[in-house]
Amino acid sequence: MTLREPEGRPRRPMGMIFSLRTLLLSLVVVLGLAACGDDDGASSDPAAPPTSASEDPSIALPRLTEAEADAWATERGLELRVVEVDGEPLAVTDDFREDRINVAIVDGVVTDVSGLG
């Protein structure tokens, strides 16, 4: 006895069926993992965004001397990186670090905070 496909219905290759199953299973796993996480909104990241204006580097650092800005950053577990001195950009690495603050210095005083990195 031979099994025959009904007329007008194309046969799907077995590889295609397994590919669809694999895709669906992968999608379920990815969505399941994406749903896992900390939902309380609190961050355990030490370089989390500041909670007050006095903790915001873009507000606290301008007008401080380089030494004062470095001390401010060190107290908070951050590293100060000077990326520009008196209008001249300095050579810096292109790596990103959440615990580093980039600043511009003019006449020994912080004039700009260009962000974390």
Side-chain angles (χ1 to χ4, degrees):
M1 178 172 172
T2 306
L3 294 176
R4 298 176 63 193
E5 287 290 319
E7 293 297 322
R9 187 171 169 194
R11 265 189 102 129
R12 286 190 210 163
M14 287 301 287
M16 183 179 194
I17 293 171
F18 287 118
S19 294
L20 289 174
R21 283 185 187 162
T22 303
L23 177 67
L24 288 174
L25 180 60
S26 298
L27 183 62
V28 168
V29 169
V30 167
L31 291 175
L33 290 174
C36 295
D38 188 10
D39 293 334
D40 67 359
S43 174
S44 60
D45 182 8
T51 56
S52 69
S54 65
E55 293 296 310
D56 185 350
S58 63
I59 295 173
L61 295 181
R63 297 179 304 279
L64 294 180
T65 65
E66 183 177 352
E68 292 169 336
D70 189 44
W72 184 94
T74 302
E75 287 172 6
R76 288 154 182 82
L78 302 170
E79 179 184 328
L80 189 75
R81 175 168 71 169
V82 179
V83 296
E84 185 178 303
V85 175
D86 297 327
E88 293 294 321
L90 302 177
V92 295
T93 58
D94 198 24
D95 62 323
F96 179 79
R97 290 185 38 199
E98 291 183 0
D99 65 337
R100 182 168 56 200
I101 303 170
N102 298 317
V103 298
I105 304 284
V106 174
D107 294 327
V109 176
V110 175
T111 58
D112 185 44
V113 178
S114 58
L116 297 176

XYZ file of all heavy atoms in Angstrom:
863
model
N 0.839 -1.166 0.000
C 0.000 0.000 0.000
C 0.894 1.244 0.000
O 1.803 1.355 0.788
C -0.883 -0.031 1.228
C -1.753 1.133 1.377
S -2.806 0.687 2.741
C -3.608 2.093 3.032
N 0.590 2.193 -0.883
C 1.379 3.395 -1.031
C 0.561 4.593 -0.582
O -0.592 4.744 -0.965
C 1.780 3.588 -2.500
O 2.415 2.411 -2.952
C 2.687 4.770 -2.650
N 1.184 5.452 0.260
C 0.498 6.675 0.686
C 0.695 7.739 -0.367
O 1.797 7.937 -0.868
C 1.047 7.167 2.015
C 0.795 6.262 3.212
C 1.495 6.838 4.431
C -0.682 6.109 3.485
N -0.362 8.443 -0.693
C -0.283 9.489 -1.703
C -0.761 10.797 -1.105
O -1.668 10.823 -0.287
C -1.160 9.115 -2.904
C -0.693 7.844 -3.569
C -1.589 7.436 -4.672
N -1.578 8.456 -5.695
C -2.439 8.509 -6.686
N -3.379 7.620 -6.799
N -2.362 9.462 -7.586
N -0.146 11.874 -1.531
C -0.560 13.219 -1.126
C -1.863 13.546 -1.837
O -2.056 13.175 -2.995
C 0.502 14.256 -1.515
C 1.747 14.207 -0.673
C 1.522 14.689 0.742
O 0.804 15.678 0.936
O 2.059 14.056 1.656
N -2.794 14.257 -1.165
C -4.015 14.701 -1.858
C -3.645 15.594 -3.031
O -2.649 16.308 -3.003
C -4.772 15.478 -0.791
C -4.144 15.118 0.502
C -2.756 14.639 0.214
N -4.448 15.550 -4.055
C -4.206 16.353 -5.249
C -4.187 17.845 -4.916
O -4.982 18.310 -4.109
C -5.293 16.080 -6.291
C -5.250 14.683 -6.867
C -3.970 14.407 -7.621
O -3.464 15.313 -8.307
O -3.458 13.279 -7.516
N -3.279 18.601 -5.545
C -3.218 20.056 -5.384
C -2.466 20.531 -4.159
O -2.333 21.710 -3.921
N -1.992 19.633 -3.329
C -1.283 20.045 -2.114
C 0.190 19.682 -2.265
O 0.542 18.507 -2.327
C -1.878 19.318 -0.928
C -1.352 19.792 0.383
C -2.156 19.175 1.495
N -1.487 19.416 2.751
C -1.780 18.791 3.846
N -2.724 17.883 3.852
N -1.136 19.054 4.943
N 1.070 20.705 -2.306
C 2.490 20.385 -2.498
C 3.087 19.755 -1.246
O 2.653 20.027 -0.126
C 3.120 21.744 -2.782
C 2.195 22.727 -2.183
C 0.818 22.116 -2.232
N 4.052 18.924 -1.443
C 4.773 18.302 -0.329
C 5.813 19.266 0.209
O 6.509 19.914 -0.546
C 5.506 17.069 -0.822
C 4.735 15.817 -0.631
C 5.664 14.695 -0.956
N 6.112 14.125 0.284
C 6.058 12.828 0.541
N 5.641 12.002 -0.365
N 6.437 12.369 1.689
N 5.906 19.358 1.514
C 6.948 20.175 2.129
C 8.147 19.298 2.418
O 7.997 18.221 2.977
C 6.475 20.757 3.450
C 5.508 21.850 3.306
C 5.324 22.486 4.653
N 3.976 23.008 4.723
C 3.357 23.336 5.828
N 3.958 23.184 6.971
N 2.154 23.819 5.802
N 9.304 19.820 2.094
C 10.501 19.050 2.446
C 10.646 18.974 3.960
O 10.311 19.913 4.686
C 11.641 19.852 1.838
C 11.023 20.889 0.973
C 9.593 21.012 1.359
N 11.151 17.869 4.477
C 11.305 17.680 5.925
C 12.223 18.737 6.529
O 12.017 19.174 7.650
C 11.855 16.281 6.224
C 10.830 15.183 6.003
S 9.368 15.385 7.026
C 10.002 14.928 8.613
N 13.243 19.164 5.785
C 14.153 20.192 6.290
C 13.438 21.487 6.594
O 13.733 22.184 7.557
N 12.443 21.839 5.788
C 11.690 23.068 5.996
C 10.847 22.983 7.266
O 10.750 23.940 8.030
C 10.809 23.351 4.794
C 10.045 24.631 4.882
S 9.099 24.823 3.373
C 8.647 26.508 3.507
N 10.270 21.826 7.529
C 9.454 21.643 8.735
C 10.326 21.787 9.975
O 9.968 22.464 10.932
C 8.738 20.281 8.694
C 7.694 20.281 7.572
C 8.076 19.976 10.040
C 7.080 18.931 7.296
N 11.498 21.146 9.955
C 12.389 21.251 11.101
C 12.908 22.676 11.270
O 13.084 23.147 12.377
C 13.544 20.253 10.986
C 13.125 18.832 11.225
C 13.248 17.888 10.232
C 12.593 18.443 12.441
C 12.844 16.579 10.440
C 12.187 17.145 12.675
C 12.309 16.207 11.660
N 13.140 23.390 10.195
C 13.590 24.779 10.276
C 12.530 25.652 10.929
O 12.847 26.514 11.749
C 13.908 25.329 8.885
O 15.016 24.655 8.344
N 11.277 25.451 10.579
C 10.196 26.226 11.192
C 10.073 25.907 12.676
O 9.886 26.801 13.496
C 8.870 25.961 10.481
C 8.759 26.545 9.081
C 7.459 26.090 8.419
C 8.838 28.054 9.106
N 10.188 24.635 13.021
C 10.132 24.261 14.438
C 11.282 24.902 15.210
O 11.111 25.405 16.304
C 10.192 22.742 14.588
C 8.915 22.053 14.270
C 9.025 20.591 14.559
N 7.826 19.907 14.094
C 7.748 18.634 13.886
N 8.813 17.866 14.077
N 6.624 18.085 13.480
N 12.471 24.851 14.628
C 13.643 25.445 15.281
C 13.458 26.948 15.453
O 13.766 27.503 16.510
C 14.915 25.163 14.452
O 15.050 23.756 14.290
C 16.144 25.720 15.138
N 12.946 27.609 14.432
C 12.705 29.047 14.507
C 11.699 29.378 15.597
O 11.916 30.282 16.411
C 12.218 29.571 13.158
C 11.861 31.050 13.114
C 13.103 31.897 13.307
C 11.180 31.396 11.809
N 10.594 28.637 15.647
C 9.573 28.895 16.662
C 10.101 28.620 18.071
O 9.849 29.391 18.994
C 8.331 28.065 16.386
C 7.509 28.521 15.179
C 6.388 27.540 14.902
C 6.955 29.909 15.395
N 10.846 27.546 18.226
C 11.415 27.240 19.529
C 12.404 28.325 19.963
O 12.394 28.770 21.104
C 12.111 25.877 19.498
C 12.752 25.428 20.808
C 11.708 25.332 21.906
C 13.471 24.116 20.626
N 13.223 28.781 19.032
C 14.177 29.852 19.333
C 13.456 31.129 19.754
O 13.856 31.813 20.685
C 15.062 30.148 18.125
O 15.813 29.016 17.784
N 12.378 31.450 19.060
C 11.597 32.642 19.384
C 11.002 32.543 20.783
O 11.056 33.506 21.550
C 10.486 32.826 18.340
C 9.632 34.065 18.488
C 10.487 35.321 18.350
C 8.519 34.065 17.468
N 10.489 31.381 21.134
C 9.918 31.189 22.473
C 11.002 31.351 23.537
O 10.798 32.011 24.562
C 9.235 29.801 22.575
C 8.901 29.457 24.013
C 7.985 29.773 21.717
N 12.176 30.789 23.300
C 13.267 30.892 24.269
C 13.718 32.343 24.430
O 13.885 32.834 25.546
C 14.455 29.991 23.851
C 15.686 30.280 24.690
C 14.065 28.529 23.951
N 13.885 33.049 23.324
C 14.329 34.445 23.389
C 13.310 35.304 24.121
O 13.660 36.118 24.982
C 14.609 34.998 21.971
C 14.769 36.500 21.991
C 15.832 34.335 21.383
N 12.043 35.141 23.802
C 11.007 35.929 24.480
C 10.927 35.576 25.964
O 10.719 36.450 26.803
C 9.659 35.728 23.800
C 9.532 36.338 22.402
C 8.185 35.973 21.789
C 9.719 37.828 22.428
N 11.104 34.307 26.278
C 11.095 33.894 27.680
C 12.231 34.510 28.465
O 12.067 34.990 29.575
N 13.420 34.525 27.860
C 14.572 35.131 28.537
C 14.433 36.644 28.638
O 14.855 37.245 29.620
C 15.863 34.773 27.804
C 16.293 33.311 27.914
C 17.507 33.049 27.038
C 16.580 32.939 29.349
N 13.833 37.257 27.638
C 13.643 38.709 27.673
C 12.672 39.103 28.781
O 12.782 40.188 29.349
C 13.139 39.210 26.325
N 11.744 38.222 29.087
C 10.767 38.520 30.127
C 11.381 38.410 31.523
O 10.878 38.993 32.479
C 9.572 37.581 30.012
N 12.470 37.673 31.655
C 13.144 37.532 32.941
C 13.929 38.799 33.221
O 14.539 39.374 32.347
C 14.118 36.355 32.917
S 13.317 34.775 32.708
N 13.903 39.211 34.433
C 14.695 40.386 34.768
C 14.206 41.034 36.029
O 13.231 40.618 36.638
N 14.874 42.065 36.412
C 14.560 42.810 37.614
C 13.522 43.863 37.270
O 13.798 44.786 36.521
C 15.843 43.454 38.144
C 15.661 44.081 39.492
O 14.611 43.857 40.113
O 16.574 44.796 39.932
N 12.323 43.728 37.807
C 11.239 44.636 37.461
C 11.015 45.745 38.475
O 10.102 46.551 38.323
C 9.936 43.856 37.299
C 9.971 42.928 36.097
O 10.720 43.207 35.146
O 9.246 41.937 36.135
N 11.823 45.801 39.524
C 11.568 46.822 40.537
C 12.089 48.196 40.152
O 11.847 49.169 40.841
C 12.124 46.400 41.891
C 13.644 46.333 41.922
O 14.281 46.588 40.880
O 14.192 46.026 42.992
N 12.809 48.297 39.046
C 13.280 49.595 38.561
C 14.561 50.065 39.220
O 15.181 51.005 38.775
N 14.972 49.430 40.308
C 16.207 49.831 40.979
C 17.385 49.265 40.211
O 17.340 48.155 39.714
C 16.218 49.323 42.416
N 18.435 50.028 40.149
C 19.610 49.590 39.416
C 20.711 49.251 40.397
O 20.956 49.977 41.349
C 20.074 50.697 38.469
O 21.281 50.330 37.863
N 21.385 48.123 40.158
C 22.533 47.772 41.002
C 23.823 48.231 40.351
O 24.897 47.965 40.853
C 22.555 46.258 41.225
O 22.671 45.593 39.975
N 23.729 48.918 39.226
C 24.897 49.398 38.487
C 25.493 50.594 39.225
O 24.815 51.580 39.474
C 24.470 49.803 37.072
C 25.627 50.279 36.218
O 26.782 50.154 36.663
O 25.368 50.779 35.114
N 26.791 50.536 39.592
C 27.381 51.658 40.321
C 27.437 52.932 39.494
O 27.498 54.016 40.033
C 28.789 51.171 40.655
C 29.066 50.067 39.702
C 27.727 49.463 39.355
N 27.385 52.820 38.172
C 27.426 54.012 37.323
C 26.018 54.367 36.848
O 25.831 54.915 35.773
C 28.335 53.772 36.125
N 25.023 54.041 37.654
C 23.637 54.349 37.307
C 23.454 55.860 37.226
O 24.211 56.612 37.836
C 22.701 53.763 38.349
N 22.450 56.309 36.499
C 22.229 57.754 36.390
C 22.071 58.392 37.767
O 21.523 57.786 38.686
C 20.924 57.851 35.598
C 20.830 56.569 34.857
C 21.504 55.545 35.720
N 22.543 59.602 37.926
C 22.480 60.272 39.224
C 21.042 60.521 39.644
O 20.159 60.671 38.813
C 23.218 61.591 38.980
C 23.245 61.775 37.516
C 23.156 60.418 36.901
N 20.832 60.562 40.957
C 19.494 60.782 41.478
C 19.256 62.231 41.884
O 18.135 62.614 42.145
C 19.237 59.870 42.694
O 20.264 60.110 43.660
C 19.273 58.417 42.280
N 20.282 63.042 41.948
C 20.104 64.447 42.288
C 21.044 65.298 41.447
O 22.012 64.802 40.873
C 20.379 64.673 43.776
O 21.751 64.498 44.034
N 20.771 66.585 41.395
C 21.589 67.500 40.594
C 23.029 67.535 41.086
O 23.955 67.653 40.288
C 20.987 68.900 40.620
N 23.251 67.381 42.400
C 24.616 67.435 42.923
C 25.417 66.196 42.514
O 26.637 66.214 42.559
C 24.603 67.569 44.443
O 24.052 66.404 45.025
N 24.730 65.132 42.110
C 25.402 63.917 41.670
C 25.562 63.866 40.153
O 26.199 62.966 39.633
C 24.620 62.689 42.146
C 24.615 62.517 43.644
C 26.008 62.268 44.205
O 26.711 61.399 43.688
O 26.395 62.962 45.151
N 24.973 64.782 39.431
C 25.051 64.804 37.973
C 26.369 65.447 37.558
O 26.594 66.623 37.826
C 23.867 65.583 37.406
C 23.805 65.556 35.888
O 24.776 65.106 35.248
O 22.775 65.976 35.344
N 27.267 64.701 36.890
C 28.570 65.268 36.535
C 28.477 66.496 35.644
O 29.305 67.401 35.750
C 29.288 64.131 35.809
C 28.434 62.939 35.903
C 27.131 63.321 36.474
N 27.475 66.557 34.774
C 27.369 67.718 33.877
C 26.991 68.988 34.623
O 27.197 70.093 34.132
C 26.359 67.441 32.770
O 25.071 67.257 33.304
N 26.484 68.840 35.835
C 26.150 70.011 36.660
C 27.244 70.262 37.703
O 27.636 71.401 37.940
C 24.782 69.808 37.360
C 23.682 69.745 36.308
C 24.511 70.913 38.369
C 22.316 69.375 36.855
N 27.744 69.179 38.310
C 28.686 69.317 39.420
C 30.112 69.659 38.982
O 30.819 70.373 39.693
C 28.695 68.028 40.246
N 30.554 69.177 37.830
C 31.970 69.329 37.466
C 32.363 70.647 36.820
O 33.468 71.131 37.080
C 32.398 68.160 36.566
C 32.371 66.789 37.231
C 32.838 65.721 36.256
C 33.203 66.766 38.491
N 31.554 71.244 35.960
C 32.011 72.515 35.370
C 32.350 73.546 36.450
O 31.679 73.631 37.473
C 30.829 72.969 34.522
C 30.161 71.696 34.131
C 30.289 70.818 35.360
N 33.417 74.297 36.210
C 33.963 75.327 37.089
C 34.835 74.757 38.203
O 35.403 75.505 38.975
C 32.874 76.236 37.659
C 32.141 77.035 36.597
C 31.048 77.915 37.150
N 30.046 77.216 37.941
C 29.012 76.527 37.450
N 28.850 76.440 36.163
N 28.148 75.943 38.245
N 34.975 73.416 38.299
C 35.915 72.829 39.257
C 37.281 72.726 38.586
O 37.381 72.602 37.366
C 35.480 71.419 39.671
C 34.191 71.269 40.476
C 33.949 69.798 40.788
C 34.238 72.084 41.751
N 38.326 72.771 39.409
C 39.655 72.535 38.848
C 39.763 71.055 38.480
O 38.947 70.229 38.921
C 40.760 72.883 39.863
O 40.660 71.970 40.965
C 40.662 74.317 40.341
N 40.777 70.719 37.716
C 40.957 69.322 37.321
C 41.121 68.426 38.557
O 40.549 67.341 38.622
C 42.160 69.179 36.386
C 42.358 67.772 35.872
C 43.515 67.644 34.895
O 44.099 68.669 34.484
O 43.844 66.502 34.552
N 41.885 68.894 39.536
C 42.113 68.111 40.757
C 40.809 67.921 41.539
O 40.527 66.826 42.043
C 43.165 68.785 41.628
N 40.005 68.990 41.651
C 38.719 68.890 42.355
C 37.771 67.937 41.624
O 37.067 67.141 42.249
C 38.072 70.272 42.473
C 38.814 71.227 43.384
C 38.311 72.660 43.272
O 37.734 73.033 42.228
O 38.505 73.415 44.256
N 37.744 68.024 40.291
C 36.879 67.146 39.501
C 37.321 65.696 39.638
O 36.491 64.788 39.756
C 36.890 67.571 38.039
N 38.627 65.468 39.658
C 39.148 64.115 39.828
C 38.762 63.556 41.193
O 38.363 62.398 41.314
C 40.661 64.108 39.639
C 41.238 62.711 39.587
O 40.638 61.845 38.900
O 42.273 62.473 40.230
N 38.870 64.390 42.232
C 38.483 63.959 43.579
C 36.990 63.654 43.636
O 36.560 62.661 44.244
C 38.845 65.032 44.602
N 36.159 64.492 42.987
C 34.698 64.275 42.944
C 34.399 62.929 42.299
O 33.588 62.155 42.802
C 34.040 65.418 42.163
C 32.551 65.361 42.130
C 31.691 65.986 42.977
C 31.727 64.666 41.179
N 30.389 65.714 42.618
C 30.388 64.905 41.520
C 32.001 63.859 40.084
C 29.317 64.366 40.804
C 30.938 63.314 39.365
C 29.619 63.573 39.732
N 35.047 62.641 41.165
C 34.809 61.387 40.451
C 35.282 60.188 41.270
O 34.582 59.174 41.371
C 35.505 61.419 39.095
N 36.461 60.308 41.875
C 37.028 59.210 42.666
C 36.122 58.860 43.844
O 35.923 57.686 44.151
C 38.440 59.574 43.163
O 39.251 59.871 42.018
C 39.067 58.449 43.947
N 35.549 59.860 44.513
C 34.642 59.622 45.637
C 33.430 58.798 45.216
O 32.830 58.104 46.032
C 34.145 60.952 46.215
C 35.173 61.715 46.988
C 34.675 63.107 47.377
O 33.483 63.424 47.137
O 35.482 63.876 47.902
N 33.071 58.866 43.960
C 31.889 58.165 43.448
C 32.248 56.899 42.675
O 31.412 56.301 42.011
C 31.085 59.114 42.565
C 30.390 60.173 43.423
C 30.126 61.457 42.682
N 29.501 62.426 43.564
C 30.168 63.193 44.425
N 31.473 63.104 44.528
N 29.532 64.055 45.184
N 33.514 56.500 42.741
C 33.953 55.286 42.070
C 34.062 55.439 40.561
O 33.980 54.459 39.834
N 34.270 56.670 40.102
C 34.376 56.940 38.678
C 35.789 57.392 38.331
O 36.546 57.815 39.200
C 33.369 58.029 38.269
C 31.902 57.732 38.561
C 31.052 58.966 38.340
C 31.413 56.589 37.705
N 36.113 57.313 37.060
C 37.415 57.773 36.579
C 37.203 59.019 35.733
O 36.302 59.062 34.898
C 38.067 56.681 35.730
C 39.417 57.073 35.174
C 39.978 56.005 34.267
O 39.720 54.811 34.500
O 40.686 56.372 33.310
N 38.021 60.019 35.936
C 37.964 61.242 35.146
C 38.943 61.115 33.987
O 40.106 60.753 34.197
C 38.326 62.449 36.016
C 38.096 63.816 35.381
C 36.610 64.139 35.364
C 38.859 64.881 36.141
N 38.487 61.385 32.765
C 39.380 61.356 31.600
C 39.296 62.702 30.896
O 38.228 63.132 30.474
C 38.981 60.246 30.634
C 39.832 60.268 29.356
C 39.680 59.049 28.504
N 38.388 58.977 27.859
C 38.084 58.109 26.894
N 38.988 57.231 26.486
N 36.895 58.086 26.365
N 40.424 63.363 30.768
C 40.498 64.644 30.062
C 40.628 64.332 28.575
O 41.570 63.665 28.149
C 41.687 65.489 30.560
C 41.765 66.795 29.790
C 41.566 65.740 32.063
N 39.659 64.815 27.775
C 39.664 64.543 26.336
C 40.048 65.773 25.520
O 40.294 65.668 24.325
C 38.300 63.992 25.863
C 38.010 62.654 26.510
C 37.182 64.974 26.130
N 40.103 66.941 26.195
C 40.456 68.176 25.496
C 41.085 69.143 26.486
O 40.586 69.316 27.601
C 39.197 68.793 24.895
C 39.424 70.016 24.049
C 38.115 70.536 23.460
O 37.421 69.776 22.766
O 37.800 71.709 23.735
N 42.197 69.776 26.086
C 42.870 70.769 26.929
C 43.048 72.042 26.114
O 43.653 72.021 25.042
C 44.241 70.257 27.427
C 44.963 71.347 28.203
C 44.073 69.020 28.293
N 42.508 73.129 26.640
C 42.605 74.449 26.005
C 42.226 74.408 24.520
O 42.896 74.988 23.667
C 44.011 75.039 26.189
C 44.332 75.277 27.667
O 43.400 75.601 28.429
O 45.506 75.131 28.050
N 41.143 73.696 24.224
C 40.624 73.635 22.855
C 41.289 72.608 21.957
O 40.875 72.427 20.818
N 42.329 71.929 22.445
C 43.028 70.918 21.650
C 42.570 69.524 22.078
O 42.750 69.133 23.233
C 44.546 71.034 21.858
C 45.150 72.305 21.323
C 45.067 72.383 19.798
O 45.260 71.358 19.124
O 44.802 73.497 19.304
N 41.979 68.764 21.148
C 41.569 67.402 21.503
C 42.777 66.508 21.765
O 43.812 66.655 21.118
C 40.795 66.916 20.283
C 40.961 67.930 19.221
C 41.624 69.134 19.800
N 42.639 65.628 22.733
C 43.700 64.688 23.067
C 43.400 63.328 22.440
O 42.241 63.002 22.182
C 43.815 64.538 24.586
C 44.095 65.811 25.370
C 44.116 65.515 26.865
C 45.421 66.432 24.934
N 44.441 62.540 22.231
C 44.256 61.177 21.737
C 43.670 60.336 22.870
O 44.196 60.322 23.986
C 45.589 60.602 21.272
N 42.563 59.683 22.592
C 41.918 58.823 23.586
C 41.540 57.507 22.923
O 41.407 57.423 21.706
C 40.658 59.492 24.193
C 41.018 60.722 24.989
C 39.646 59.819 23.124
N 41.361 56.498 23.747
C 40.931 55.204 23.226
C 39.448 55.270 22.891
O 38.719 56.114 23.408
C 41.172 54.083 24.253
O 40.466 54.400 25.446
C 42.655 53.934 24.539
N 39.009 54.360 22.031
C 37.618 54.367 21.574
C 36.759 53.365 22.351
O 35.636 53.085 21.967
C 37.584 54.047 20.076
C 36.279 54.459 19.429
O 35.608 55.354 19.966
O 35.930 53.861 18.393
N 37.294 52.824 23.434
C 36.510 51.867 24.214
C 35.509 52.604 25.097
O 35.690 53.764 25.445
C 37.424 50.993 25.070
C 38.220 51.782 26.084
O 38.644 52.908 25.741
O 38.423 51.296 27.202
N 34.419 51.938 25.427
C 33.385 52.549 26.258
C 33.445 51.947 27.648
O 33.466 50.738 27.813
C 32.002 52.310 25.664
C 30.908 52.897 26.507
C 30.632 54.244 26.453
C 30.179 52.099 27.372
C 29.633 54.805 27.242
C 29.183 52.647 28.169
C 28.910 53.991 28.091
N 33.471 52.826 28.646
C 33.437 52.394 30.041
C 32.405 53.239 30.771
O 32.460 54.465 30.737
C 34.804 52.558 30.691
C 35.816 51.574 30.150
C 37.141 51.628 30.850
N 37.055 51.858 32.281
C 38.069 52.296 33.005
N 39.234 52.532 32.448
N 37.926 52.486 34.295
N 31.483 52.576 31.427
C 30.420 53.285 32.139
C 30.918 54.009 33.374
O 30.222 54.854 33.914
C 29.313 52.312 32.525
C 28.542 51.797 31.338
C 27.400 50.880 31.734
O 27.208 50.633 32.936
O 26.704 50.422 30.831
N 32.115 53.676 33.824
C 32.633 54.295 35.042
C 33.633 55.411 34.742
O 34.404 55.797 35.599
C 33.284 53.237 35.941
C 34.525 52.616 35.312
O 34.651 52.651 34.070
O 35.365 52.092 36.062
N 33.583 55.964 33.527
C 34.541 57.011 33.154
C 33.785 58.247 32.657
O 32.848 58.148 31.879
C 35.460 56.469 32.059
C 36.513 57.447 31.632
C 37.569 56.803 30.769
N 36.999 56.155 29.605
C 37.622 55.211 28.901
N 38.822 54.808 29.252
N 37.061 54.685 27.845
N 34.224 59.416 33.131
C 33.618 60.689 32.735
C 34.623 61.438 31.865
O 35.770 61.629 32.256
C 33.280 61.545 33.972
C 32.351 60.793 34.910
C 32.654 62.864 33.547
C 32.166 61.458 36.249
N 34.188 61.863 30.688
C 35.043 62.619 29.768
C 34.817 64.114 29.976
O 33.671 64.576 29.987
C 34.716 62.253 28.319
C 34.977 60.794 28.039
O 35.979 60.243 28.448
N 34.058 60.159 27.336
N 35.912 64.860 30.128
C 35.796 66.296 30.363
C 36.762 67.083 29.483
O 37.775 66.564 29.032
C 36.058 66.665 31.847
C 35.043 66.021 32.766
C 37.471 66.311 32.265
N 36.422 68.343 29.270
C 37.298 69.299 28.587
C 37.791 70.291 29.640
O 37.027 70.712 30.509
C 36.543 70.016 27.479
N 39.068 70.650 29.532
C 39.700 71.547 30.501
C 40.210 72.793 29.766
O 40.832 72.674 28.707
C 40.910 70.857 31.180
C 40.513 69.538 31.845
C 41.617 71.788 32.145
C 39.790 69.663 33.138
N 39.940 73.973 30.322
C 40.502 75.229 29.807
C 41.111 75.956 30.998
O 40.438 76.198 32.007
C 39.423 76.104 29.124
C 39.997 77.454 28.736
C 38.841 75.395 27.904
N 42.389 76.290 30.893
C 43.131 76.959 31.975
C 42.996 76.221 33.308
O 42.837 76.837 34.362
C 42.660 78.412 32.131
C 43.000 79.260 30.920
O 44.049 78.997 30.287
O 42.208 80.178 30.601
N 43.039 74.884 33.259
C 43.008 74.082 34.482
C 41.635 73.891 35.086
O 41.523 73.298 36.154
N 40.580 74.380 34.417
C 39.222 74.285 34.961
C 38.348 73.502 33.995
O 38.423 73.672 32.781
C 38.646 75.721 35.166
C 37.206 75.665 35.639
C 39.507 76.489 36.168
N 37.495 72.639 34.547
C 36.568 71.852 33.727
C 35.545 72.815 33.111
O 34.912 73.598 33.813
C 35.840 70.781 34.556
C 34.792 70.062 33.719
C 36.827 69.797 35.161
N 35.428 72.753 31.786
C 34.469 73.617 31.085
C 33.331 72.826 30.442
O 32.281 73.386 30.154
C 35.169 74.427 29.976
O 35.795 73.523 29.067
C 36.170 75.385 30.571
N 33.565 71.540 30.205
C 32.539 70.741 29.536
C 32.655 69.289 29.965
O 33.753 68.768 30.122
C 32.702 70.841 28.014
C 31.592 70.139 27.256
O 30.412 70.287 27.640
O 31.916 69.412 26.300
N 31.498 68.657 30.156
C 31.435 67.232 30.421
C 30.777 66.607 29.209
O 29.616 66.877 28.907
C 30.622 66.935 31.704
C 30.507 65.436 31.943
C 31.255 67.628 32.905
N 31.557 65.783 28.488
C 31.012 65.217 27.264
C 30.391 63.850 27.469
O 30.086 63.157 26.526
C 32.099 65.160 26.181
O 33.196 64.404 26.629
N 30.179 63.478 28.707
C 29.450 62.249 29.003
C 30.321 61.140 29.535
O 31.512 61.294 29.782
N 29.672 60.005 29.709
C 30.354 58.813 30.195
C 30.989 58.095 29.028
O 30.546 58.206 27.894
C 29.374 57.882 30.898
C 28.702 58.416 32.155
C 27.693 57.418 32.668
C 29.727 58.725 33.230
N 31.998 57.338 29.295
C 32.588 56.545 28.229
C 34.023 56.382 28.436
O 34.789 55.755 27.861
